[in-house]
Amino acid sequence: MSEENKTTFIVETMPNKIKRFAWLIMLIGLIGAGLLIWGNIGAGARDALSHAKDIRVALKLMSLEYYSNDCSIFDPESENGLVPGALEKLSSTIPIDGELCVTGWDRENNIPLSFTYREGKYLVEYKDIGQGDGTYGMNGDWIVYCDFKVLEYTTGD
């Protein structure tokens, strides 16, 4: 018999089987953890977006009340873009769990053009360019950002 015709059998030892099984379990665990983290981030982002959309509707409705009193809810000089007392009134209407900053307002149609809303680690940005005809609806651009701490450095006391 020549060397070319010999069949070689490889017998897998028990330690090799355990190593392969451990790698498989670790790979499945990493993929599962990644999917769980991604799903959690997505769910939080959808919640923050939903709250921001509710805030936009409440701003539109509250602006009607202020408009009937011949004033605007928007104050570009204030820290949050609203007249004093408007944020408290808005908070009594809908739950606001974060920070709201109105950055743009259509004074002619009395509706918000842009604002940011931060809720926990999510930042929602709304911008409506509009056409100037007052038919803004919900067709603005919504962007949701998720931030996480990469590095923290504190000095000792």
Side-chain angles (χ1 to χ4, degrees):
M1 249 197 222
S2 70
E3 286 287 321
E4 297 172 10
N5 294 337
K6 284 189 175 179
T7 304
T8 307
F9 293 98
I10 299 174
V11 178
E12 193 170 11
T13 62
M14 191 58 135
N16 287 342
K17 287 182 181 179
I18 292 173
K19 283 181 188 177
R20 188 175 344 131
F21 184 71
W23 277 108
L24 182 66
I25 293 297
M26 190 170 66
L27 181 65
I28 291 171
L30 286 174
I31 291 172
L35 290 174
L36 185 67
I37 290 170
W38 186 258
N40 190 19
I41 289 172
R46 283 187 297 276
D47 284 345
L49 178 62
S50 175
H51 294 159
K53 286 184 176 183
D54 291 344
I55 288 171
R56 183 179 181 278
V57 170
L59 280 171
K60 286 174 69 175
L61 293 175
M62 255 182 66
S63 70
L64 292 174
E65 182 181 339
Y66 277 77
Y67 182 73
S68 68
N69 295 329
D70 290 333
C71 62
S72 175
I73 192 173
F74 181 63
D75 180 12
E77 301 294 321
S78 73
E79 186 176 317
N80 61 5
L82 299 172
V83 295
L87 185 60
E88 292 78 18
K89 192 170 191 172
L90 190 66
S91 295
S92 68
T93 307
I94 60 168
I96 297 179
D97 299 329
E99 300 171 18
L100 174 66
C101 182
V102 180
T103 55
W105 195 266
D106 183 351
R107 290 190 187 270
E108 185 178 315
N109 297 307
N110 212 25
I111 56 175
L113 287 179
S114 62
F115 67 88
T116 59
Y117 174 65
R118 175 171 289 282
E119 182 177 296
K121 60 183 176 180
Y122 300 99
L123 174 70
V124 181
E125 212 175 64
Y126 174 74
K127 290 182 183 174
D128 190 350
I129 55 172
Q131 304 302 318
D133 58 359
T135 58
Y136 293 113
M138 285 294 214
N139 54 359
D141 295 328
W142 297 89
I143 301 173
V144 182
Y145 300 96
C146 177
D147 61 330
F148 57 94
K149 191 183 306 184
V150 175
L151 178 67
E152 180 178 357
Y153 176 76
T154 57
T155 59
D157 292 331

PDB file of all heavy atoms in Angstrom, residues 87-117:
ATOM      1  N   LEU A  87     -43.812  76.788  31.398  1.00  0.00           N
ATOM      2  CA  LEU A  87     -43.328  75.419  31.579  1.00  0.00           C
ATOM      3  C   LEU A  87     -44.080  74.724  32.710  1.00  0.00           C
ATOM      4  O   LEU A  87     -44.420  73.540  32.604  1.00  0.00           O
ATOM      5  CB  LEU A  87     -41.822  75.413  31.857  1.00  0.00           C
ATOM      6  CG  LEU A  87     -41.168  74.047  31.937  1.00  0.00           C
ATOM      7  CD1 LEU A  87     -41.337  73.284  30.617  1.00  0.00           C
ATOM      8  CD2 LEU A  87     -39.701  74.164  32.266  1.00  0.00           C
ATOM      9  N   GLU A  88     -44.365  75.446  33.786  1.00  0.00           N
ATOM     10  CA  GLU A  88     -45.122  74.868  34.899  1.00  0.00           C
ATOM     11  C   GLU A  88     -46.541  74.513  34.451  1.00  0.00           C
ATOM     12  O   GLU A  88     -47.075  73.467  34.806  1.00  0.00           O
ATOM     13  CB  GLU A  88     -45.177  75.831  36.087  1.00  0.00           C
ATOM     14  CG  GLU A  88     -43.838  76.039  36.768  1.00  0.00           C
ATOM     15  CD  GLU A  88     -42.912  76.980  36.024  1.00  0.00           C
ATOM     16  OE1 GLU A  88     -43.390  77.761  35.157  1.00  0.00           O
ATOM     17  OE2 GLU A  88     -41.701  76.929  36.285  1.00  0.00           O
ATOM     18  N   LYS A  89     -47.136  75.387  33.661  1.00  0.00           N
ATOM     19  CA  LYS A  89     -48.481  75.120  33.151  1.00  0.00           C
ATOM     20  C   LYS A  89     -48.462  73.931  32.200  1.00  0.00           C
ATOM     21  O   LYS A  89     -49.369  73.093  32.226  1.00  0.00           O
ATOM     22  CB  LYS A  89     -49.025  76.360  32.450  1.00  0.00           C
ATOM     23  CG  LYS A  89     -50.466  76.289  32.136  1.00  0.00           C
ATOM     24  CD  LYS A  89     -50.971  77.636  31.684  1.00  0.00           C
ATOM     25  CE  LYS A  89     -52.482  77.578  31.633  1.00  0.00           C
ATOM     26  NZ  LYS A  89     -53.077  78.861  31.393  1.00  0.00           N
ATOM     27  N   LEU A  90     -47.432  73.857  31.379  1.00  0.00           N
ATOM     28  CA  LEU A  90     -47.284  72.733  30.464  1.00  0.00           C
ATOM     29  C   LEU A  90     -47.079  71.431  31.241  1.00  0.00           C
ATOM     30  O   LEU A  90     -47.644  70.395  30.891  1.00  0.00           O
ATOM     31  CB  LEU A  90     -46.104  72.990  29.528  1.00  0.00           C
ATOM     32  CG  LEU A  90     -45.918  72.059  28.351  1.00  0.00           C
ATOM     33  CD1 LEU A  90     -47.059  72.214  27.368  1.00  0.00           C
ATOM     34  CD2 LEU A  90     -44.596  72.324  27.664  1.00  0.00           C
ATOM     35  N   SER A  91     -46.296  71.502  32.328  1.00  0.00           N
ATOM     36  CA  SER A  91     -46.055  70.311  33.163  1.00  0.00           C
ATOM     37  C   SER A  91     -47.315  69.842  33.867  1.00  0.00           C
ATOM     38  O   SER A  91     -47.450  68.659  34.172  1.00  0.00           O
ATOM     39  CB  SER A  91     -44.981  70.610  34.200  1.00  0.00           C
ATOM     40  OG  SER A  91     -43.754  70.869  33.581  1.00  0.00           O
ATOM     41  N   SER A  92     -48.232  70.751  34.145  1.00  0.00           N
ATOM     42  CA  SER A  92     -49.484  70.339  34.789  1.00  0.00           C
ATOM     43  C   SER A  92     -50.433  69.702  33.772  1.00  0.00           C
ATOM     44  O   SER A  92     -51.346  68.969  34.148  1.00  0.00           O
ATOM     45  CB  SER A  92     -50.161  71.530  35.468  1.00  0.00           C
ATOM     46  OG  SER A  92     -50.611  72.455  34.502  1.00  0.00           O
ATOM     47  N   THR A  93     -50.208  69.982  32.489  1.00  0.00           N
ATOM     48  CA  THR A  93     -51.054  69.408  31.435  1.00  0.00           C
ATOM     49  C   THR A  93     -50.590  68.007  31.060  1.00  0.00           C
ATOM     50  O   THR A  93     -51.395  67.087  30.959  1.00  0.00           O
ATOM     51  CB  THR A  93     -51.027  70.307  30.181  1.00  0.00           C
ATOM     52  OG1 THR A  93     -51.357  71.629  30.559  1.00  0.00           O
ATOM     53  CG2 THR A  93     -51.995  69.817  29.136  1.00  0.00           C
ATOM     54  N   ILE A  94     -49.297  67.869  30.811  1.00  0.00           N
ATOM     55  CA  ILE A  94     -48.721  66.569  30.452  1.00  0.00           C
ATOM     56  C   ILE A  94     -47.485  66.341  31.306  1.00  0.00           C
ATOM     57  O   ILE A  94     -46.844  67.289  31.736  1.00  0.00           O
ATOM     58  CB  ILE A  94     -48.348  66.486  28.956  1.00  0.00           C
ATOM     59  CG1 ILE A  94     -47.321  67.555  28.603  1.00  0.00           C
ATOM     60  CG2 ILE A  94     -49.545  66.583  28.064  1.00  0.00           C
ATOM     61  CD1 ILE A  94     -46.690  67.358  27.258  1.00  0.00           C
ATOM     62  N   PRO A  95     -47.147  65.086  31.563  1.00  0.00           N
ATOM     63  CA  PRO A  95     -45.929  64.835  32.346  1.00  0.00           C
ATOM     64  C   PRO A  95     -44.672  65.117  31.521  1.00  0.00           C
ATOM     65  O   PRO A  95     -44.512  64.601  30.422  1.00  0.00           O
ATOM     66  CB  PRO A  95     -46.034  63.352  32.709  1.00  0.00           C
ATOM     67  CG  PRO A  95     -46.935  62.763  31.688  1.00  0.00           C
ATOM     68  CD  PRO A  95     -47.863  63.861  31.238  1.00  0.00           C
ATOM     69  N   ILE A  96     -43.819  65.969  32.063  1.00  0.00           N
ATOM     70  CA  ILE A  96     -42.537  66.258  31.423  1.00  0.00           C
ATOM     71  C   ILE A  96     -41.451  65.737  32.352  1.00  0.00           C
ATOM     72  O   ILE A  96     -41.253  66.253  33.437  1.00  0.00           O
ATOM     73  CB  ILE A  96     -42.359  67.776  31.172  1.00  0.00           C
ATOM     74  CG1 ILE A  96     -43.430  68.256  30.205  1.00  0.00           C
ATOM     75  CG2 ILE A  96     -40.976  68.061  30.629  1.00  0.00           C
ATOM     76  CD1 ILE A  96     -43.375  69.726  29.907  1.00  0.00           C
ATOM     77  N   ASP A  97     -40.764  64.682  31.905  1.00  0.00           N
ATOM     78  CA  ASP A  97     -39.751  64.032  32.726  1.00  0.00           C
ATOM     79  C   ASP A  97     -38.346  64.509  32.404  1.00  0.00           C
ATOM     80  O   ASP A  97     -37.383  63.926  32.869  1.00  0.00           O
ATOM     81  CB  ASP A  97     -39.810  62.512  32.528  1.00  0.00           C
ATOM     82  CG  ASP A  97     -41.151  61.937  32.935  1.00  0.00           C
ATOM     83  OD1 ASP A  97     -41.778  62.499  33.847  1.00  0.00           O
ATOM     84  OD2 ASP A  97     -41.573  60.932  32.334  1.00  0.00           O
ATOM     85  N   GLY A  98     -38.226  65.532  31.588  1.00  0.00           N
ATOM     86  CA  GLY A  98     -36.908  65.973  31.171  1.00  0.00           C
ATOM     87  C   GLY A  98     -36.832  67.477  31.044  1.00  0.00           C
ATOM     88  O   GLY A  98     -37.629  68.207  31.623  1.00  0.00           O
ATOM     89  N   GLU A  99     -35.861  67.917  30.252  1.00  0.00           N
ATOM     90  CA  GLU A  99     -35.626  69.346  30.039  1.00  0.00           C
ATOM     91  C   GLU A  99     -36.091  69.726  28.640  1.00  0.00           C
ATOM     92  O   GLU A  99     -35.750  69.071  27.665  1.00  0.00           O
ATOM     93  CB  GLU A  99     -34.140  69.658  30.166  1.00  0.00           C
ATOM     94  CG  GLU A  99     -33.555  69.319  31.510  1.00  0.00           C
ATOM     95  CD  GLU A  99     -32.043  69.445  31.511  1.00  0.00           C
ATOM     96  OE1 GLU A  99     -31.488  70.103  30.615  1.00  0.00           O
ATOM     97  OE2 GLU A  99     -31.427  68.850  32.402  1.00  0.00           O
ATOM     98  N   LEU A 100     -36.848  70.809  28.567  1.00  0.00           N
ATOM     99  CA  LEU A 100     -37.385  71.297  27.302  1.00  0.00           C
ATOM    100  C   LEU A 100     -36.762  72.646  26.986  1.00  0.00           C
ATOM    101  O   LEU A 100     -36.650  73.504  27.863  1.00  0.00           O
ATOM    102  CB  LEU A 100     -38.907  71.434  27.399  1.00  0.00           C
ATOM    103  CG  LEU A 100     -39.629  72.072  26.222  1.00  0.00           C
ATOM    104  CD1 LEU A 100     -39.519  71.192  24.995  1.00  0.00           C
ATOM    105  CD2 LEU A 100     -41.082  72.311  26.578  1.00  0.00           C
ATOM    106  N   CYS A 101     -36.367  72.829  25.739  1.00  0.00           N
ATOM    107  CA  CYS A 101     -35.836  74.118  25.297  1.00  0.00           C
ATOM    108  C   CYS A 101     -36.402  74.412  23.910  1.00  0.00           C
ATOM    109  O   CYS A 101     -36.057  73.740  22.936  1.00  0.00           O
ATOM    110  CB  CYS A 101     -34.312  74.093  25.265  1.00  0.00           C
ATOM    111  SG  CYS A 101     -33.603  75.678  24.796  1.00  0.00           S
ATOM    112  N   VAL A 102     -37.287  75.402  23.835  1.00  0.00           N
ATOM    113  CA  VAL A 102     -37.878  75.804  22.563  1.00  0.00           C
ATOM    114  C   VAL A 102     -36.918  76.775  21.893  1.00  0.00           C
ATOM    115  O   VAL A 102     -36.554  77.798  22.470  1.00  0.00           O
ATOM    116  CB  VAL A 102     -39.259  76.451  22.775  1.00  0.00           C
ATOM    117  CG1 VAL A 102     -39.864  76.864  21.448  1.00  0.00           C
ATOM    118  CG2 VAL A 102     -40.189  75.502  23.511  1.00  0.00           C
ATOM    119  N   THR A 103     -36.499  76.452  20.676  1.00  0.00           N
ATOM    120  CA  THR A 103     -35.484  77.265  19.993  1.00  0.00           C
ATOM    121  C   THR A 103     -36.017  78.017  18.785  1.00  0.00           C
ATOM    122  O   THR A 103     -35.322  78.885  18.265  1.00  0.00           O
ATOM    123  CB  THR A 103     -34.308  76.371  19.551  1.00  0.00           C
ATOM    124  OG1 THR A 103     -34.821  75.296  18.760  1.00  0.00           O
ATOM    125  CG2 THR A 103     -33.574  75.806  20.746  1.00  0.00           C
ATOM    126  N   GLY A 104     -37.207  77.694  18.313  1.00  0.00           N
ATOM    127  CA  GLY A 104     -37.769  78.399  17.166  1.00  0.00           C
ATOM    128  C   GLY A 104     -39.274  78.416  17.219  1.00  0.00           C
ATOM    129  O   GLY A 104     -39.906  77.449  17.647  1.00  0.00           O
ATOM    130  N   TRP A 105     -39.864  79.541  16.803  1.00  0.00           N
ATOM    131  CA  TRP A 105     -41.318  79.691  16.897  1.00  0.00           C
ATOM    132  C   TRP A 105     -41.827  80.458  15.689  1.00  0.00           C
ATOM    133  O   TRP A 105     -41.221  81.443  15.273  1.00  0.00           O
ATOM    134  CB  TRP A 105     -41.670  80.450  18.175  1.00  0.00           C
ATOM    135  CG  TRP A 105     -43.110  80.362  18.548  1.00  0.00           C
ATOM    136  CD1 TRP A 105     -44.084  81.253  18.227  1.00  0.00           C
ATOM    137  CD2 TRP A 105     -43.736  79.331  19.300  1.00  0.00           C
ATOM    138  NE1 TRP A 105     -45.289  80.844  18.741  1.00  0.00           N
ATOM    139  CE2 TRP A 105     -45.094  79.658  19.408  1.00  0.00           C
ATOM    140  CE3 TRP A 105     -43.288  78.164  19.890  1.00  0.00           C
ATOM    141  CZ2 TRP A 105     -46.009  78.871  20.074  1.00  0.00           C
ATOM    142  CZ3 TRP A 105     -44.194  77.375  20.570  1.00  0.00           C
ATOM    143  CH2 TRP A 105     -45.540  77.725  20.663  1.00  0.00           C
ATOM    144  N   ASP A 106     -42.919  80.015  15.115  1.00  0.00           N
ATOM    145  CA  ASP A 106     -43.584  80.726  14.031  1.00  0.00           C
ATOM    146  C   ASP A 106     -44.617  81.652  14.660  1.00  0.00           C
ATOM    147  O   ASP A 106     -45.675  81.221  15.083  1.00  0.00           O
ATOM    148  CB  ASP A 106     -44.244  79.728  13.082  1.00  0.00           C
ATOM    149  CG  ASP A 106     -44.905  80.384  11.887  1.00  0.00           C
ATOM    150  OD1 ASP A 106     -45.013  81.632  11.875  1.00  0.00           O
ATOM    151  OD2 ASP A 106     -45.311  79.653  10.972  1.00  0.00           O
ATOM    152  N   ARG A 107     -44.285  82.920  14.769  1.00  0.00           N
ATOM    153  CA  ARG A 107     -45.164  83.885  15.439  1.00  0.00           C
ATOM    154  C   ARG A 107     -46.456  84.121  14.656  1.00  0.00           C
ATOM    155  O   ARG A 107     -47.491  84.383  15.240  1.00  0.00           O
ATOM    156  CB  ARG A 107     -44.436  85.198  15.673  1.00  0.00           C
ATOM    157  CG  ARG A 107     -43.359  85.093  16.722  1.00  0.00           C
ATOM    158  CD  ARG A 107     -42.837  86.467  17.093  1.00  0.00           C
ATOM    159  NE  ARG A 107     -41.701  86.379  17.973  1.00  0.00           N
ATOM    160  CZ  ARG A 107     -41.800  86.353  19.292  1.00  0.00           C
ATOM    161  NH1 ARG A 107     -42.970  86.388  19.870  1.00  0.00           N
ATOM    162  NH2 ARG A 107     -40.724  86.276  20.038  1.00  0.00           N
ATOM    163  N   GLU A 108     -46.389  84.011  13.345  1.00  0.00           N
ATOM    164  CA  GLU A 108     -47.578  84.259  12.534  1.00  0.00           C
ATOM    165  C   GLU A 108     -48.625  83.174  12.749  1.00  0.00           C
ATOM    166  O   GLU A 108     -49.810  83.451  12.884  1.00  0.00           O
ATOM    167  CB  GLU A 108     -47.187  84.329  11.056  1.00  0.00           C
ATOM    168  CG  GLU A 108     -48.337  84.711  10.156  1.00  0.00           C
ATOM    169  CD  GLU A 108     -47.888  84.826   8.712  1.00  0.00           C
ATOM    170  OE1 GLU A 108     -46.821  85.431   8.464  1.00  0.00           O
ATOM    171  OE2 GLU A 108     -48.607  84.313   7.849  1.00  0.00           O
ATOM    172  N   ASN A 109     -48.179  81.923  12.757  1.00  0.00           N
ATOM    173  CA  ASN A 109     -49.109  80.801  12.932  1.00  0.00           C
ATOM    174  C   ASN A 109     -49.155  80.296  14.370  1.00  0.00           C
ATOM    175  O   ASN A 109     -49.925  79.397  14.680  1.00  0.00           O
ATOM    176  CB  ASN A 109     -48.724  79.658  11.991  1.00  0.00           C
ATOM    177  CG  ASN A 109     -48.838  80.071  10.553  1.00  0.00           C
ATOM    178  OD1 ASN A 109     -49.870  80.554  10.117  1.00  0.00           O
ATOM    179  ND2 ASN A 109     -47.756  79.913   9.806  1.00  0.00           N
ATOM    180  N   ASN A 110     -48.288  80.845  15.225  1.00  0.00           N
ATOM    181  CA  ASN A 110     -48.256  80.540  16.649  1.00  0.00           C
ATOM    182  C   ASN A 110     -48.049  79.051  16.932  1.00  0.00           C
ATOM    183  O   ASN A 110     -48.789  78.437  17.702  1.00  0.00           O
ATOM    184  CB  ASN A 110     -49.530  81.048  17.323  1.00  0.00           C
ATOM    185  CG  ASN A 110     -49.259  81.478  18.741  1.00  0.00           C
ATOM    186  OD1 ASN A 110     -48.138  81.832  19.090  1.00  0.00           O
ATOM    187  ND2 ASN A 110     -50.276  81.454  19.569  1.00  0.00           N
ATOM    188  N   ILE A 111     -47.022  78.478  16.307  1.00  0.00           N
ATOM    189  CA  ILE A 111     -46.691  77.068  16.525  1.00  0.00           C
ATOM    190  C   ILE A 111     -45.174  76.910  16.643  1.00  0.00           C
ATOM    191  O   ILE A 111     -44.421  77.723  16.124  1.00  0.00           O
ATOM    192  CB  ILE A 111     -47.221  76.158  15.388  1.00  0.00           C
ATOM    193  CG1 ILE A 111     -46.692  76.623  14.043  1.00  0.00           C
ATOM    194  CG2 ILE A 111     -48.723  76.097  15.386  1.00  0.00           C
ATOM    195  CD1 ILE A 111     -47.060  75.709  12.910  1.00  0.00           C
ATOM    196  N   PRO A 112     -44.720  75.859  17.354  1.00  0.00           N
ATOM    197  CA  PRO A 112     -43.274  75.647  17.499  1.00  0.00           C
ATOM    198  C   PRO A 112     -42.641  75.173  16.193  1.00  0.00           C
ATOM    199  O   PRO A 112     -43.198  74.333  15.504  1.00  0.00           O
ATOM    200  CB  PRO A 112     -43.182  74.571  18.582  1.00  0.00           C
ATOM    201  CG  PRO A 112     -44.486  73.869  18.549  1.00  0.00           C
ATOM    202  CD  PRO A 112     -45.504  74.871  18.098  1.00  0.00           C
ATOM    203  N   LEU A 113     -41.490  75.759  15.879  1.00  0.00           N
ATOM    204  CA  LEU A 113     -40.738  75.331  14.701  1.00  0.00           C
ATOM    205  C   LEU A 113     -39.581  74.413  15.060  1.00  0.00           C
ATOM    206  O   LEU A 113     -39.218  73.544  14.276  1.00  0.00           O
ATOM    207  CB  LEU A 113     -40.193  76.541  13.947  1.00  0.00           C
ATOM    208  CG  LEU A 113     -41.208  77.367  13.179  1.00  0.00           C
ATOM    209  CD1 LEU A 113     -40.521  78.535  12.497  1.00  0.00           C
ATOM    210  CD2 LEU A 113     -41.946  76.519  12.171  1.00  0.00           C
ATOM    211  N   SER A 114     -39.004  74.612  16.244  1.00  0.00           N
ATOM    212  CA  SER A 114     -37.914  73.730  16.657  1.00  0.00           C
ATOM    213  C   SER A 114     -37.793  73.753  18.182  1.00  0.00           C
ATOM    214  O   SER A 114     -38.047  74.764  18.819  1.00  0.00           O
ATOM    215  CB  SER A 114     -36.588  74.144  16.017  1.00  0.00           C
ATOM    216  OG  SER A 114     -36.215  75.430  16.430  1.00  0.00           O
ATOM    217  N   PHE A 115     -37.433  72.608  18.718  1.00  0.00           N
ATOM    218  CA  PHE A 115     -37.164  72.492  20.148  1.00  0.00           C
ATOM    219  C   PHE A 115     -36.343  71.248  20.404  1.00  0.00           C
ATOM    220  O   PHE A 115     -36.227  70.371  19.544  1.00  0.00           O
ATOM    221  CB  PHE A 115     -38.453  72.482  20.990  1.00  0.00           C
ATOM    222  CG  PHE A 115     -39.333  71.281  20.807  1.00  0.00           C
ATOM    223  CD1 PHE A 115     -39.156  70.135  21.565  1.00  0.00           C
ATOM    224  CD2 PHE A 115     -40.365  71.305  19.894  1.00  0.00           C
ATOM    225  CE1 PHE A 115     -39.978  69.040  21.409  1.00  0.00           C
ATOM    226  CE2 PHE A 115     -41.198  70.208  19.730  1.00  0.00           C
ATOM    227  CZ  PHE A 115     -41.003  69.076  20.492  1.00  0.00           C
ATOM    228  N   THR A 116     -35.734  71.211  21.584  1.00  0.00           N
ATOM    229  CA  THR A 116     -35.022  70.017  22.032  1.00  0.00           C
ATOM    230  C   THR A 116     -35.635  69.561  23.343  1.00  0.00           C
ATOM    231  O   THR A 116     -36.095  70.384  24.144  1.00  0.00           O
ATOM    232  CB  THR A 116     -33.515  70.281  22.234  1.00  0.00           C
ATOM    233  OG1 THR A 116     -33.349  71.312  23.195  1.00  0.00           O
ATOM    234  CG2 THR A 116     -32.842  70.657  20.933  1.00  0.00           C
ATOM    235  N   TYR A 117     -35.641  68.269  23.524  1.00  0.00           N
ATOM    236  CA  TYR A 117     -36.177  67.684  24.747  1.00  0.00           C
ATOM    237  C   TYR A 117     -35.226  66.587  25.195  1.00  0.00           C
ATOM    238  O   TYR A 117     -34.950  65.656  24.445  1.00  0.00           O
ATOM    239  CB  TYR A 117     -37.579  67.112  24.479  1.00  0.00           C
ATOM    240  CG  TYR A 117     -38.165  66.360  25.650  1.00  0.00           C
ATOM    241  CD1 TYR A 117     -38.477  67.021  26.832  1.00  0.00           C
ATOM    242  CD2 TYR A 117     -38.403  64.998  25.575  1.00  0.00           C
ATOM    243  CE1 TYR A 117     -39.013  66.333  27.906  1.00  0.00           C
ATOM    244  CE2 TYR A 117     -38.939  64.311  26.635  1.00  0.00           C
ATOM    245  CZ  TYR A 117     -39.243  64.972  27.796  1.00  0.00           C
ATOM    246  OH  TYR A 117     -39.773  64.298  28.875  1.00  0.00           O
TER     247      TYR A 117
END
